[in-house]
Amino acid sequence: MGCPPRLWAGSDEKWPTASAGVGLSTLMAAQMCVGLSPSGSGAAIPFLSLTRNILLLLLVASTGSLAAQDQDFRWGRIAAEDLAMTTYEADTTAGAIVLSDVADLRFNVINGDIFYDFIRHKRLKILKRSGFEEADIAIPYYGDEKLSSLKAQLILPNGERTSVEREDFFEETYNNGYVKVKKFTFPNLQEGAVLEYQYQIKSPYLFELREWYFQSDIPIRWSEYRLAIPIWYDYIVITQGPPYHIQEKEDGSMNANLPVTHLRYVMKDMPALKRESYITTMDDYLSRIRFQLHTVTYPGQLRESIMGTWAQAATKLTESLQFGQQYIRNANCKNIKALVPALIAGASTKAEQANRIYTFLNRTMKWNEEFGIFVDTDLDECFERKTGSGAELNLMLVAMLQEAGIKAYPLLTSTRDHGKMFDLYPMLDQFNHVMVLAELDDAKLEVFDAGNIFRPAGLPRMSALNGEGWALIPDSPQWVDLRAKEGYTQEVFKGRLDEEGNLIGSWRAKYDGYSAVLAREDLHSDSAEAYIRQQLETVSPDIIISNIAIQDQDTLTKPVILTADCTLNGVAQVNAEFMYLSPVINPPFTESPFKLEKRTYPVNIPYPSVSHHILQLQLPDGYQVAELPEKITLALPDRGMQLAFSAGAMGNMLTVTYKLEIKQLIYTPEQYEALREFFNICTQKLGEQIVLKRS
Amino acid sequence: MLKPTTCCAVFLALFLSSRPTLAQWNEELYAAASIPTDLLKNAHDVVRREVIDFEVKNLREGVLRHHKIVTLLTSDSDASKLFVPYDKDTRVEKMTAKLYDAQGKLIRKLERDEITDNAAVDGFSIYNDARYKYVELHHPLLPYTVEFEVELSLKGIYYAVFPDWEIQQYHNAVQFSQFNISLPAQLRFYHQMLNIELGPAQTTQTPDVRSYSWTVTNLPAIREEPYSPPPSEVLPTLLCSPHEFQLGNYIGSMASWKDYGAFMNSLYARRDVLPAALAEEVKQIAAQHGDTPAKIAALYQYMQRKVRYVSVQLGIGGWQPFDATYVSENSYGDCKALTNFMKAILSAVGIEAWPALIKAGELDYEVKEGFTYPSFNHVILYVPEADIWLECTSNTAPPNYLGSGSLDRNVLLVTPQGGRLARTPASLPEHNVGTGLTHIRVEPDGKAAIQYKGQFTGELHEDLRYMSTYASAEEKERWLRSSSALPACNLQGFVQQASPAKPEASMSYQAEALRYASRAGKRMFIPVNVVNPFRDLPPRSTERKQPIVLADAYTEMDTFIFSLPAAFAVESYMQEAFSLESSFGSYQLRMEKSDEVIRVYRYLQLRPARLPAEEYEAFRRFFVEVAKCDGQKIVCIQQP
């Protein structure tokens, strides 16, 4: 046996699939080479490898029954009751269900190349027309993998079979051939049809094996993943979701001379996934399993750590041509470093120097919307092209800050939709983004995340607010808690109410933190007038705005302040001698964001916020306040959320204020009911009316 | 102008160009400061110089060269992006780009690895062979200038729809743009100039080649306005069509709609023969029904049960249908294939039907007599003897009902005698009617029990029909919440039912809203209309230039019956009766108070209209008033 294939580590782009079974996401992406160089033949090996489990959520290993299945998974052997099925008892609304989805992953050695074969056989039942789209199949895979043995057939309840013809399998290529997608659909599709298809993928990517989803948008009756892994390879298993129906591990051998560990995972009767909002990503919660190569021990050789320790991961990253060497090696970053002296000239503090460099990069470089932790284009070349990924931009920042003599380190993280991180094992694919941790004056640490001209230092992009990050500090890499800074809004309207129910006065809004980021983005993409109109049109579609002024729109370190004179026509409803006024002229929401009665997964709000609103009005002559909303203070336990509302009248002056504070960001399903009620009361309170009566 | 072709998206968004003579070229073109001042107004970018050169080689192929220099003035401009679509037949021979700073100094040239190459996903095809190459240049400081050069060898469908000259986009000024087309002397082409007077082309002629050239200079930017006519009635464009062209083994002509229709007919010819068993089956179905419309309805519903829509677009397959046998074996096809299949079914029982090419959806260009410009993206079926239209890609539509995206427009009938234009039925306010009855029982604490029942016809019924077959319970609930203003409520029994034979559907629901009415002290505020309040206000439009086009055509008639708690009496509402009348719409809201209940009657009708630009404010005011009136609350007060 010769040299096994190169193994690749790291992960980049996420394949946008939510279907159960295989996701390409974990397969690999960026080019970081982890060389393995075993030799020798596959002689019996005297010790066994251990496969560990990281148990996330509720996993309780149910070591398993070897119970024989009553289902026949062989090609074309469809049970009579499945053919006859007209509704799925467990979920009568389902338009289609997965009867079974079974995959085998086996290692193979040919001409010295080690790879795995992934063989998948999926069987679906179409129950209603609404399930017809499940018959459109797309199988994504990487360009240097090989898909073969694809077959597909449809079986009608009367037993009639139709196969998908060879010429009806299509292939599309994306990203210059980097990703391919095999596509087909089933002929003769009808309600009641059973569909099955099978394919094999030969893959050289051993660092991460194909991940498996046990759950999808439609119910899955049986989902099974079996792996036969040579004992040379020790994989970390990451699993989440409810306990397995069957989980087995057994020693055996694949060929006479290749001892393997057999793993088997089964879930049955998985309900359709219900998507919820205010969540990081459903991937954090649905049932799935992943495998990451930990160590390799070839026969007659010493155990080689692939994943190693966090310290080793740090070294590997530092030495990588597509990571550390980008900001260390002069050949890749000399041009950007050469800019630094001029940029920081005259700046006396580290904070000011860092801010100048950060601002320069943000104004010069455009983020290309790509995430990932590895560099595709050398930093100087990125600068030439004025565009780069999040990693490229932030590693440029590392290079330039270091050039300025500031201690700056890459800070690896996972964006919210990329999922949560776990620090047990140094698996780089859990990261998909790089930010910067810099030590400024008096050893104050600050986070930078370049790529946008509206975010000051300390405010990563909102999609990257995921709780923590791993700082690549030489000799002491470490996890860092990242508490998101708050968004602050203060709005004041001062003026008068006229007899037709119009509000005339001056409006002033002050935004800081993430609220300022949002306001600056909107003010950049649209006119200030349009922005103000958008703020106030909930209470009046008919607004006249003049004398607009913006303060500190470009000074990110300060709040942005917007002032204008506004006439809001028809805000109060005038009925005969009464006038009814909703005093909250820019409600943060007009209906509760949490309408669902129950919640399965935690609510996760990206950042804390405070909004404070004040309305001061002179009432029209001859009118008096007949009724005012009651003052209230409302709080969730531990003051995780708070609302304070008050309304008062003195003479013909009316003052209404409210302050809404959101501090706690994560709410469990058990805390959900209180959260929902809080927003219900808020919505109601902020919609209450003031009654004026002509005297 | 995009020329969507039959049922598949073949977009040739690019124009071509040739190298200009050096004499015309000059460095000032790259510097932002040299843009004439009057071209800056309303402009996101300015085309400094553009030359498009289309060289027709023969009946089957041509070369398209496009050279463009654009200065970007604002971040709203997309001019630094270059998108080059192509397919298996068409080759991208050249694609280069350069970037210049505000002073016109060359900053850099595009590197090959910056170009991405992808399959073009149209969102509805399981497979099509369209691809695109894409690149974007970046520069941090506006203004800056980009220069693109593209050369394409056009063949197949990309050739057969000649490239157009889209002279101007919205918010785009043009300093200089030239369009050249040259053809072998024996070939001809047709053209039509839209929204600009340029006079005849400069022509040159050699014994072998005829060339035509048009030039524009200094066109100020045109602002995009809401409720405008379609771009083809606003933006300067030159449309081109070949006299003759060859696609695979087929030769076609665009000399007239008749000729083009004859060509399409040749693509459909002999593909409409059903397998014998199927022919027998449909004959039996037809025999069970009396007159022709009844036979058509029964056969259409048979087709709807048997097949489904799957789009596969490969080469000439973009224009030519799979034959009827293929569809019957696979039970799927795209619009061409399913239309052809239905045609075959009718043909088997002796009913003649013709495919009709149509531009479905937004009508950015409408085909007209006098100029053969095949701007189509869809095919439907027309049965002349019964005057019946059939949408063959729908599994749920009633017979003789075209969806809102296909009504009221010119189409090309493909008949054995060639093509001819016809018009699909108009969509009038009386065809699209919603009638609703809502009972709302309000409790003292503001809680309300809502019971709703409504009937809908025409365009208003389409969502309900679709949902009744395809939507999950969650999707239905989401639809209801977004199409109404229902407050947080516990929804029970949301039911939709569509008539199998007519474009009609009903829906009903019951809901319990904990906070329907807001309370303040002893008063209670009861929203009048949470069922279908008008909320889609026209945005403001100042210094309006374009006429106003309102396409909406519908009528809503609602009755809301409020039962109040015993202890409450009405304190006030806005007006007993309110009404608005204009050329394009009518609105009435009337309150009736009795001892037990308040009845509110609401009527809204919108009619398609085209109004002069100066009426925009009045036009908008109508909707503001409607929204205000729909949004009002009845105020009740607790009796001592």
Side-chain angles (χ1 to χ4, degrees):
Chain A
M1 178 199 322
C3 190
R6 294 177 304 163
L7 300 181
W8 304 89
S11 170
D12 200 337
E13 208 168 46
K14 191 115 180 133
W15 187 262
T17 178
S19 70
V22 179
L24 253 191
S25 59
T26 61
L27 284 182
M28 55 133 279
Q31 285 86 45
M32 179 180 176
C33 190
V34 182
L36 278 184
S37 52
S39 58
S41 63
I45 300 164
F47 56 85
L48 289 178
S49 144
L50 262 182
T51 302
R52 291 149 229 234
N53 285 317
I54 299 175
L55 303 182
L56 300 177
L57 297 186
L58 328 157
L59 183 84
V60 180
S62 66
T63 38
S65 62
L66 283 168
Q69 301 319 312
D70 41 10
Q71 299 191 62
D72 191 340
F73 294 124
R74 285 173 297 174
W75 185 253
R77 305 289 183 93
I78 318 292
E81 56 268 35
D82 287 346
L83 282 174
M85 182 195 303
T86 53
T87 53
Y88 181 54
E89 289 305 323
D91 180 355
T92 53
T93 67
I97 66 163
V98 176
L99 294 172
S100 63
D101 191 3
V102 179
D104 272 295
L105 185 145
R106 301 186 202 123
F107 279 65
N108 218 331
V109 183
I110 293 179
N111 297 332
D113 285 341
I114 304 182
F115 53 88
Y116 69 75
D117 284 319
F118 172 84
I119 301 145
R120 182 182 190 190
H121 178 197
K122 187 169 180 178
R123 194 176 279 168
L124 296 123
K125 171 83 182 182
I126 304 297
L127 296 160
K128 300 177 183 164
R129 261 192 189 275
S130 60
F132 274 20
E133 63 187 24
E134 299 297 331
D136 297 342
I137 309 296
I139 306 165
Y141 60 105
Y142 285 110
D144 40 10
E145 294 179 323
K146 192 167 167 288
L147 187 144
S148 62
S149 311
L150 174 60
K151 56 178 177 175
Q153 67 171 346
L154 171 142
I155 302 110
L156 295 179
N158 65 11
E160 190 186 327
R161 288 168 190 237
T162 320
S163 293
V164 178
E165 301 288 333
R166 220 183 158 72
E167 65 267 24
D168 291 327
F169 292 120
F170 300 105
E171 186 169 270
E172 288 178 351
T173 58
Y174 292 89
N175 269 357
N176 306 326
Y178 183 62
V179 170
K180 294 184 175 180
V181 183
K182 198 64 116 177
K183 294 172 96 176
F184 61 93
T185 192
F186 287 85
N188 213 1
L189 187 64
Q190 298 171 26
E191 292 174 9
V194 170
L195 319 178
E196 66 177 339
Y197 62 97
Q198 185 171 310
Y199 60 89
Q200 178 166 346
I201 288 173
K202 178 180 165 185
S203 175
Y205 299 124
L206 307 187
F207 187 84
E208 248 191 300
L209 303 180
R210 263 185 161 64
E211 73 180 319
W212 188 255
Y213 287 85
F214 296 93
Q215 222 178 344
S216 92
D217 292 331
I218 59 173
I220 299 181
R221 203 172 64 181
W222 186 271
S223 178
E224 175 166 354
Y225 196 16
R226 298 186 292 244
L227 305 95
I229 300 174
I231 60 168
W232 307 337
Y233 299 115
D234 174 15
Y235 282 89
I236 302 291
V237 182
I238 305 150
T239 175
Q240 67 185 23
Y244 289 106
H245 172 58
I246 300 172
Q247 182 180 2
E248 290 170 353
K249 189 169 125 187
E250 218 173 67
D251 297 329
S253 61
M254 198 170 73
N255 303 322
N257 56 358
L258 182 51
V260 295
T261 305
H262 290 286
L263 299 169
R264 179 169 178 238
Y265 304 90
V266 179
M267 286 285 196
K268 69 167 194 171
D269 302 331
M270 296 299 283
L273 190 69
K274 301 254 185 285
R275 285 165 196 283
E276 297 181 341
S277 52
Y278 293 92
I279 202 157
T280 48
T281 166
M282 290 307 294
D283 270 7
D284 277 350
Y285 304 103
L286 49 75
S287 172
R288 63 169 175 156
I289 190 164
R290 288 174 282 173
F291 300 85
Q292 295 264 346
L293 190 53
H294 184 235
T295 65
V296 174
T297 318
Y298 286 107
Q301 297 196 355
L302 291 179
R303 171 178 304 217
E304 184 177 1
S305 174
I306 302 302
M307 188 177 290
T309 60
W310 280 108
Q312 285 167 323
T315 308
K316 235 181 269 175
L317 275 176
T318 308
E319 289 169 359
S320 165
L321 291 177
Q322 289 173 293
F323 200 91
Q325 295 308 304
Q326 286 293 327
Y327 57 87
I328 294 167
R329 194 182 284 186
N330 237 346
N332 295 324
C333 57
K334 60 179 180 301
N335 295 347
I336 53 174
K337 283 180 172 174
L339 301 166
V340 170
L343 281 172
I344 62 172
S348 52
T349 64
K350 285 182 184 171
E352 194 183 342
Q353 293 173 349
N355 253 316
R356 284 198 193 175
I357 294 170
Y358 172 71
T359 307
F360 168 78
L361 271 183
N362 284 336
R363 291 192 178 161
T364 309
M365 298 292 298
K366 189 164 165 25
W367 177 44
N368 64 11
E369 314 277 320
E370 302 274 342
F371 285 106
I373 62 171
F374 290 101
V375 169
D376 282 333
T377 307
D378 294 343
L379 298 186
D380 272 346
E381 181 61 26
C382 283
F383 186 74
E384 199 57 32
R385 296 179 182 184
K386 300 294 182 283
T387 181
S389 67
E392 287 161 351
L393 265 48
N394 281 309
L395 293 182
M396 288 169 89
L397 183 57
V398 170
M400 294 172 79
L401 291 176
Q402 289 183 349
E403 181 70 9
I406 295 168
K407 286 181 185 162
Y409 315 105
L411 179 63
L412 289 87
T413 193
S414 170
T415 57
R416 289 167 67 83
D417 60 3
H418 187 254
K420 62 172 146 278
M421 291 158 275
F422 30 87
D423 52 11
L424 248 60
Y425 288 95
M427 290 178 288
L428 294 179
D429 92 298
Q430 64 181 295
F431 302 120
N432 73 327
H433 185 44
V434 182
M435 305 191 290
V436 181
L437 185 70
E439 196 178 315
L440 304 179
D441 315 280
D442 306 322
K444 184 189 174 233
L445 291 174
E446 188 70 287
V447 176
F448 293 83
D449 181 10
N452 161 308
I453 54 170
F454 309 109
R455 284 183 285 103
L459 271 66
R461 67 197 72 209
M462 285 174 206
S463 61
L465 296 176
N466 207 0
E468 56 184 347
W470 181 67
L472 180 56
I473 302 172
D475 304 327
S476 59
Q478 56 192 267
W479 287 91
V480 181
D481 278 337
L482 301 172
R483 165 85 186 165
K485 293 188 180 170
E486 74 178 19
Y488 178 83
T489 304
Q490 186 197 61
E491 270 186 89
V492 181
F493 189 94
K494 287 183 181 173
R496 64 189 173 87
L497 175 68
D498 74 10
E499 292 184 359
E500 272 111 51
N502 307 322
L503 288 187
I504 303 122
S506 67
W507 179 80
R508 180 181 190 273
K510 177 176 162 185
Y511 305 103
D512 204 355
Y514 280 106
S515 305
V517 175
L518 293 174
R520 284 186 170 108
E521 278 176 0
D522 289 350
L523 288 168
H524 178 80
S525 63
D526 218 336
S527 69
E529 184 185 338
Y531 177 80
I532 298 171
R533 193 173 296 289
Q534 200 195 342
Q535 298 305 303
L536 301 175
E537 70 190 356
T538 338
V539 289
S540 170
D542 194 12
I543 308 172
I544 300 158
I545 301 168
S546 58
N547 290 330
I548 300 170
I550 311 177
Q551 200 179 316
D552 292 322
Q553 184 172 3
D554 298 323
T555 312
L556 302 190
T557 47
K558 291 185 177 170
V560 57
I561 295 170
L562 200 55
T563 54
D565 292 337
C566 302
T567 300
L568 310 176
N569 287 322
V571 174
Q573 184 174 327
V574 185
N575 294 4
E577 81 247 58
F578 291 100
M579 216 188 276
Y580 308 97
L581 172 70
S582 284
V584 176
I585 60 170
N586 183 12
F589 38 83
T590 48
E591 44 187 44
S592 169
F594 299 104
K595 282 186 171 179
L596 283 179
E597 284 180 55
K598 270 205 193 106
R599 180 98 187 175
T600 315
Y601 309 108
V603 169
N604 185 315
I605 298 167
Y607 59 89
S609 61
V610 174
S611 45
H612 191 186
H613 293 241
I614 299 163
L615 177 83
Q616 281 181 351
L617 283 186
Q618 187 185 347
L619 301 178
D621 287 343
Y623 277 89
Q624 279 178 343
V625 172
E627 195 143 40
L628 276 179
E630 270 174 59
K631 173 178 173 163
I632 64 161
T633 309
L634 183 69
L636 282 178
D638 301 328
R639 302 192 175 274
M641 285 202 190
Q642 271 194 100
L643 173 76
F645 177 98
S646 77
M650 285 258 279
N652 69 345
M653 285 304 292
L654 176 74
T655 303
V656 179
T657 67
Y658 80 88
K659 191 173 185 182
L660 176 66
E661 290 175 85
I662 299 176
K663 285 186 190 145
Q664 184 182 332
L665 302 182
I666 296 169
Y667 297 83
T668 63
E670 293 72 38
Q671 294 169 320
Y672 177 71
E673 199 184 335
L675 179 73
R676 178 170 172 264
E677 191 56 17
F678 179 87
F679 277 97
N680 278 340
I681 298 173
C682 275
T683 310
Q684 182 188 24
K685 199 68 203 171
L686 301 182
E688 277 186 8
Q689 311 253 348
I690 291 170
V691 181
L692 306 175
K693 194 167 186 225
R694 206 181 291 145
S695 41
Chain B
M1 182 94 3
L2 301 179
K3 260 188 213 184
T5 58
T6 320
C7 211
C8 59
V10 171
F11 296 139
L12 213 67
L14 280 187
F15 319 131
L16 14 146
S17 82
S18 71
R19 269 254 165 233
T21 63
L22 281 173
Q24 298 168 310
W25 217 243
N26 100 47
E27 301 219 331
E28 284 225 322
L29 289 173
Y30 299 93
S34 59
I35 297 172
T37 324
D38 51 340
L39 296 190
L40 297 174
K41 195 183 178 203
N42 293 328
H44 295 163
D45 45 48
V46 181
V47 172
R48 313 302 301 279
R49 179 176 191 86
E50 176 176 46
V51 179
I52 298 169
D53 203 30
F54 181 41
E55 186 189 340
V56 175
K57 295 281 192 191
N58 53 46
L59 271 182
R60 289 181 310 277
E61 55 197 334
V63 175
L64 178 58
R65 297 183 194 87
H66 189 191
H67 186 174
K68 189 174 190 178
I69 304 168
V70 195
T71 299
L72 287 87
L73 303 174
T74 77
S75 57
D76 293 318
S77 170
D78 281 333
S80 63
K81 297 171 184 169
L82 178 63
F83 178 78
V84 182
Y86 68 102
D87 67 2
K88 279 211 176 77
D89 297 326
T90 285
R91 265 200 325 275
V92 182
E93 306 285 358
K94 181 180 186 184
M95 183 167 168
T96 65
K98 291 176 190 163
L99 177 67
Y100 302 84
D101 68 10
Q103 285 70 45
K105 193 175 119 253
L106 176 68
I107 299 174
R108 68 184 203 90
K109 294 177 184 173
L110 180 77
E111 314 239 357
R112 284 220 70 79
D113 71 330
E114 290 179 73
I115 300 173
T116 51
D117 183 23
N118 270 319
V121 177
D122 57 23
F124 56 83
S125 290
I126 177 144
Y127 187 74
N128 77 55
D129 59 8
R131 298 190 65 78
Y132 67 88
K133 289 179 187 287
Y134 172 78
V135 75
E136 181 178 3
L137 292 174
H138 299 277
H139 189 61
L141 296 173
L142 289 162
Y144 63 92
T145 299
V146 295
E147 178 173 18
F148 292 124
E149 277 188 84
V150 175
E151 184 176 323
L152 294 169
S153 290
L154 299 175
K155 245 183 135 174
I157 288 176
Y158 280 59
Y159 165 80
V161 296
F162 268 25
D164 299 324
W165 182 27
E166 288 185 321
I167 301 170
Q168 249 184 314
Q169 310 295 323
Y170 280 119
H171 298 284
N172 161 234
V174 177
Q175 207 171 347
F176 177 94
S177 179
Q178 186 176 69
F179 183 81
N180 304 311
I181 178 166
S182 69
L183 308 92
Q186 73 277 14
L187 297 183
R188 281 180 295 151
F189 80 109
Y190 303 97
H191 65 271
Q192 189 164 66
M193 197 67 78
L194 302 178
N195 308 308
I196 191 166
E197 293 291 332
L198 285 184
Q202 303 276 335
T203 56
T204 53
Q205 195 165 353
T206 68
D208 300 327
V209 176
R210 248 187 288 215
S211 305
Y212 305 80
S213 177
W214 289 268
T215 302
V216 297
T217 53
N218 296 327
L219 302 178
I222 300 169
R223 215 163 51 133
E224 189 170 15
E225 295 173 329
Y227 293 87
S228 289
S232 66
E233 292 179 35
V234 180
L235 297 174
T237 308
L238 177 74
L239 306 180
C240 298
S241 294
H243 170 65
E244 276 193 318
F245 60 92
Q246 186 173 353
L247 198 61
N249 297 320
Y250 297 87
I251 291 187
S253 162
M254 295 194 197
S256 64
W257 285 118
K258 187 171 190 314
D259 289 356
Y260 183 68
F263 161 73
M264 290 307 301
N265 194 53
S266 70
L267 295 185
Y268 281 69
R270 292 175 301 283
R271 293 181 165 255
D272 60 347
V273 181
L274 294 184
L278 186 60
E280 205 42 52
E281 192 180 346
V282 302
K283 277 179 197 157
Q284 283 174 15
I285 295 171
Q288 294 160 20
H289 294 85
D291 61 354
T292 304
K295 286 186 202 298
I296 294 170
L299 292 169
Y300 177 70
Q301 285 164 341
Y302 168 80
M303 184 275 307
Q304 287 179 310
R305 283 192 302 276
K306 183 167 170 56
V307 300
R308 74 191 161 110
Y309 175 77
V310 167
S311 163
V312 175
Q313 310 294 339
L314 294 168
I316 195 174
W319 283 7
Q320 185 167 50
F322 288 127
D323 65 28
T325 307
Y326 180 93
V327 174
S328 86
E329 279 169 4
N330 288 285
S331 293
Y332 67 66
D334 65 4
C335 57
K336 300 180 293 293
L338 298 180
T339 297
N340 181 60
F341 182 62
M342 187 65 211
K343 175 176 184 276
I345 290 175
L346 292 175
S347 167
V349 301
I351 298 173
E352 183 177 16
W354 303 327
L357 308 188
I358 185 171
K359 173 74 206 301
E362 198 175 320
L363 203 51
D364 44 9
Y365 174 85
E366 182 164 24
V367 295
K368 295 172 189 66
E369 293 293 354
F371 181 59
T372 311
Y373 180 80
S375 171
F376 302 116
N377 65 353
H378 189 46
V379 190
I380 55 179
L381 192 66
Y382 180 64
V383 189
E385 70 170 282
D387 190 22
I388 281 176
W389 297 90
L390 299 172
E391 169 56 73
C392 301
T393 62
S394 168
N395 292 104
T396 57
N400 201 20
Y401 182 72
L402 297 179
S404 48
S406 294
L407 290 166
D408 201 15
R409 58 193 65 200
N410 290 338
V411 300
L412 179 67
L413 298 177
V414 177
T415 82
Q417 291 76 43
R420 81 178 147 83
L421 294 187
R423 195 164 183 86
T424 57
S427 179
L428 302 172
E430 53 269 32
H431 298 146
N432 310 313
V433 180
T435 315
L437 173 62
T438 316
H439 285 274
I440 300 147
R441 173 175 296 282
V442 185
E443 306 287 334
D445 58 357
K447 187 163 91 181
I450 303 166
Q451 280 197 324
Y452 174 85
K453 246 191 173 95
Q455 275 82 40
F456 299 84
T457 67
E459 296 184 19
L460 299 186
H461 101 289
E462 290 176 13
D463 282 358
L464 296 173
R465 177 178 295 274
Y466 179 85
M467 282 196 299
S468 67
T469 305
Y470 292 107
S472 69
E474 279 162 328
E475 286 163 337
K476 288 174 183 180
E477 188 168 336
R478 216 176 306 132
W479 177 87
L480 180 62
R481 292 196 190 280
S482 68
S483 65
S484 71
L486 284 173
C489 61
N490 176 2
L491 188 67
Q492 296 133 4
F494 178 31
V495 179
Q496 317 80 37
Q497 270 181 322
S499 154
K502 290 182 186 169
E504 292 174 5
S506 65
M507 74 166 172
S508 62
Y509 58 81
Q510 295 86 47
E512 190 164 274
L514 283 180
R515 296 176 180 84
Y516 182 85
S518 56
R519 287 290 313 260
K522 52 189 184 297
R523 286 182 179 78
M524 185 153 70
F525 299 84
I526 302 169
V528 163
N529 182 6
V530 298
V531 168
N532 57 357
F534 190 88
R535 292 180 292 192
D536 192 14
L537 289 181
R540 274 169 198 271
S541 177
T542 50
E543 298 172 49
R544 175 102 190 172
K545 294 255 173 19
Q546 304 301 330
I548 304 157
V549 174
L550 179 70
D552 291 336
Y554 64 83
T555 311
E556 288 175 343
M557 291 178 283
D558 283 274
T559 306
F560 306 99
I561 302 176
F562 295 91
S563 312
L564 300 183
F568 281 79
V570 172
E571 178 177 83
S572 69
Y573 38 68
M574 272 172 82
Q575 274 172 342
E576 202 88 56
F578 177 83
S579 85
L580 272 173
E581 196 62 44
S582 80
S583 62
F584 56 87
S586 310
Y587 178 79
Q588 283 138 37
L589 195 75
R590 191 158 53 84
M591 312 266 197
E592 253 176 36
K593 196 164 49 167
S594 70
D595 287 347
E596 287 89 38
V597 298
I598 309 167
R599 285 172 203 274
V600 179
Y601 301 99
R602 176 186 185 267
Y603 178 87
L604 172 66
Q605 183 174 79
L606 295 181
R607 300 179 282 271
R610 194 176 174 109
L611 310 167
E614 52 273 20
E615 285 179 26
Y616 191 84
E617 200 38 48
F619 169 76
R620 183 176 176 277
R621 173 67 36 195
F622 176 88
F623 294 101
V624 167
E625 291 297 325
V626 170
K628 189 171 154 186
C629 218
D630 270 355
Q632 70 172 300
K633 293 174 170 131
I634 298 169
V635 185
C636 298
I637 189 156
Q638 198 159 9
Q639 300 302 296

